Amino acid sequence: MIEAQPRVSRKKIFVKTYGCQMNVYDSARMVDVMAPEGYDEVVTPEDADIIVLNTCHIREKAAEKVYSELGRLRALKKEKSDRGENLLIGVAGCVAQAEGEEMRRRAPMVDLIVGPQTYHRLPEYVARLANGGPAIVETEFPADDKFDSLPAPERRKTLARGATAFLTIQEGCDKFCTFCVVPYTRGSEFSRPLIRIVEEAQALVDAGVHEITLLGQNVNAWHGEDAQGRSATLGRLIRALAEIDGLARLRYTTSHPRDMDDELIAAHAEVPALMPYLHLPVQSGSDRILAAMNRRHTADEYLRLIDRVRAARPDIALSSDFIVGFPGETESDFEATLALIDAVGYGQAYSFKYSPRPGTPAASEEDQLPDDVKNERLQRLQTLLGEQQLAFNASCAGRVLPVLFDRRGRGETQLVGRSPYLQSVHVEDAPPHLFGKIVDVAIEDGHRNSLRGRLRENETVTA
């Protein structure tokens, strides 16, 4: 009689994601890279053998929020140690890149600090720590391409993540806006080769993904090599991806106005899979502030670019980013921003008070604005943007829109999905078999942050 071999228990990894969509992609790839090493993802830190905080440095007080979380994890690490269990704690992403050795000084219980360009080496680092090695701080920008080192996502995990997916095609930025830390935390612009992106997209579609959002800090600056070794453009990449059978929707974010070329604009007119939505940050409507930000475009150039995009795709929904209270911003500068918003008419937008980022040029400017001025201006700006978003959503009432159901609603029979314009659409009495499908929905109401619709008697499923 052959004795049954004891089952080797797999270890557990928990990744907490902060900030941007690229970090969501990176977190998923961290889980993927650890899977061959015997690690399964868990949803609570208490169950984990490794905890990784994947951090973002864009928001205000980002580093302090990470240190606060590390304080809570310190107690969990001690509890596990008292039970004879070992818990490894890692910090990845842009805060790790920016803080480096300072984080080791302030939080000595952290075992691993890795920047966003080195997380593909997690298995190597974890093995060194497991063998009794010292804590690791790796925040260099390595010459090797991390994407070539990452394993293909497992079909099972891709299916579990749903019918939509992020796909990073470009990292870093060479623009050096004076308020932004990205060039210092993500490095200079790097574009993945066209064929590698198509292969990853094909694998996602084969696993059931219907919508892919292409990611980059400056995504429309993508210039990856094609099969002949020539530099391609984002418009060409979009056309190549649109040829994948079963890929119904394509989006991309985040863009810079200076990199919206004719080929990309034409793709909005000619590629049905490219959704009628464009996030194109402008930050300010004042030429003086735009120059101080080193944006290298004027308000008029931005408005003329919007006209070209709308001429190509008249129904496109526009989104943007705005910073209020930039150093030296006057009331006249702020009024110019409101005027630009009036001229464009946004479907949605993101707006923030300026907050200094250590190491950026704007942080050392002497004419910083007081918080009460920034707060008052932000409220006025958000009121105007909110009115535009409500008007755009309300204009969808009475239309039939294809909706990709990608979330469960609050009730047992409610499904939530995305319209082509990236609006959340809530539908009652939606049978569960429609989850992950694109379905025609009759829009009944448009609210500030969402639409409400109903299935038609003979719903049309397009994917």
Side-chain angles (χ1 to χ4, degrees):
M1 180 177 179
I2 300 176
E3 294 185 6
Q5 296 296 316
R7 183 179 179 182
V8 177
S9 61
R10 292 176 64 85
K11 294 187 176 182
K12 311 294 183 185
I13 182 171
F14 171 81
V15 182
K16 181 173 182 176
T17 306
Y18 296 77
C20 67
Q21 294 157 319
M22 190 173 289
N23 271 14
V24 175
Y25 174 88
D26 286 346
S27 292
R29 301 317 313 271
M30 289 180 202
V31 173
D32 292 338
V33 81
M34 292 303 294
E37 310 302 316
Y39 284 85
D40 292 325
E41 185 178 16
V42 292
V43 297
T44 59
E46 291 77 12
D47 295 330
D49 300 291
I50 300 176
I51 295 174
V52 179
L53 306 182
N54 190 19
T55 61
C56 177
H57 214 303
I58 297 299
R59 299 292 179 258
E60 187 175 7
K61 300 179 180 177
E64 293 308 314
K65 292 176 182 176
V66 173
Y67 285 120
S68 177
E69 180 69 17
L70 288 174
R72 289 187 285 271
L73 293 180
R74 183 188 299 113
L76 177 61
K77 183 164 185 161
K78 184 178 183 305
E79 289 176 14
K80 284 183 172 278
S81 178
D82 291 344
R83 298 197 299 265
E85 302 172 10
N86 186 35
L87 172 63
L88 295 180
I89 295 179
V91 180
C94 291
V95 172
Q97 183 74 36
E99 294 287 301
E101 291 289 351
E102 173 66 10
M103 181 169 287
R104 276 289 300 154
R105 186 189 69 79
R106 291 186 57 178
M109 35 70 71
V110 175
D111 302 289
L112 176 62
I113 299 169
V114 293
Q117 308 303 339
T118 51
Y119 68 75
H120 60 291
R121 297 175 63 188
L122 273 177
E124 172 194 337
Y125 298 146
V126 169
R128 283 161 53 183
L129 291 167
N131 288 327
I136 295 170
V137 178
E138 182 56 81
T139 56
E140 297 299 317
F141 292 108
D144 57 323
D145 176 12
K146 74 178 180 186
F147 295 102
D148 285 343
S149 304
L150 295 172
E154 292 183 11
R155 177 180 172 84
R156 172 181 58 86
K157 291 180 180 177
T158 301
L159 283 169
R161 290 167 186 159
T164 64
F166 296 127
L167 200 170
T168 294
I169 67 169
Q170 181 271 342
E171 285 197 348
C173 185
D174 296 339
K175 297 296 189 290
F176 287 92
C177 296
T178 59
F179 55 82
C180 185
V181 299
V182 165
Y184 311 103
T185 58
R186 290 274 182 172
S188 59
E189 290 178 358
F190 167 80
S191 298
R192 298 178 65 188
L194 186 148
I195 188 62
R196 297 288 179 262
I197 297 169
V198 172
E199 288 172 349
E200 186 170 339
Q202 182 69 67
L204 291 169
V205 173
D206 289 345
V209 168
H210 296 310
E211 176 179 301
I212 291 176
T213 300
L214 307 176
L215 300 180
Q217 267 85 30
N218 193 18
V219 69
N220 57 341
W222 179 84
H223 53 274
E225 286 189 354
D226 64 11
Q228 288 74 43
R230 297 171 300 192
S231 178
T233 65
L234 181 58
R236 183 177 167 196
L237 173 63
I238 285 170
R239 292 177 190 275
L241 292 171
E243 295 296 319
I244 297 176
D245 187 33
L247 180 55
R249 293 181 167 189
L250 279 166
R251 305 183 189 273
Y252 62 90
T253 194
T254 290
S255 302
H256 194 287
R258 293 185 63 242
D259 293 310
M260 286 295 299
D261 61 22
D262 291 340
E263 189 171 11
L264 181 55
I265 293 173
H268 278 280
E270 300 166 2
V271 180
L274 183 58
M275 292 294 94
Y277 174 88
L278 174 62
H279 183 67
L280 191 63
V282 64
Q283 308 299 353
S284 174
S286 162
D287 287 346
R288 193 178 70 85
I289 296 300
L290 288 170
M293 291 177 167
N294 194 36
R295 293 291 291 172
R296 291 182 280 181
H297 64 79
T298 66
D300 182 65
E301 287 169 342
Y302 180 87
L303 290 172
R304 285 190 281 117
L305 176 58
I306 293 298
D307 288 342
R308 290 168 56 205
V309 172
R310 280 187 163 144
R313 186 67 193 258
D315 70 326
I316 199 163
L318 294 167
S319 173
S320 192
D321 291 343
F322 294 93
I323 294 174
V324 301
F326 190 80
E329 182 189 71
T330 65
E331 179 64 22
S332 177
D333 293 322
F334 177 68
E335 290 288 346
T337 298
L338 296 181
L340 182 142
I341 293 170
D342 268 329
V344 173
Y346 290 98
Q348 60 174 276
Y350 304 91
S351 53
F352 314 94
K353 293 186 299 182
Y354 170 76
S355 59
R357 294 295 180 268
T360 59
S364 60
E365 293 291 333
E366 295 182 357
D367 47 357
Q368 304 287 333
L369 272 63
D371 269 349
D372 60 341
V373 173
K374 291 191 282 189
N375 288 334
E376 189 271 339
R377 288 179 184 172
L378 182 63
Q379 184 175 6
R380 287 160 59 194
L381 180 129
Q382 289 182 337
T383 296
L384 176 57
L385 290 172
E387 290 170 354
Q388 290 190 349
Q389 183 169 330
L390 177 59
F392 177 73
N393 287 349
S395 72
C396 294
R399 297 180 61 185
V400 175
L401 298 177
V403 174
L404 173 55
F405 288 121
D406 60 352
R407 286 160 288 160
R408 310 289 181 183
R410 293 180 179 177
E412 291 184 2
T413 63
Q414 186 186 74
L415 289 178
V416 184
R418 295 288 183 185
S419 76
Y421 308 106
L422 205 61
Q423 301 144 305
S424 290
V425 183
H426 299 254
V427 177
E428 303 287 351
D429 300 321
H433 74 267
L434 295 181
F435 185 79
K437 305 294 185 182
I438 299 176
V439 183
D440 284 345
V441 173
I443 305 302
E444 297 180 318
D445 296 303
H447 305 289
R448 167 72 180 269
N449 296 311
S450 64
L451 307 178
R452 184 176 63 84
R454 59 174 174 79
L455 298 177
R456 299 190 296 174
E457 289 186 8
N458 297 309
E459 77 267 6
T460 302
V461 179
T462 57

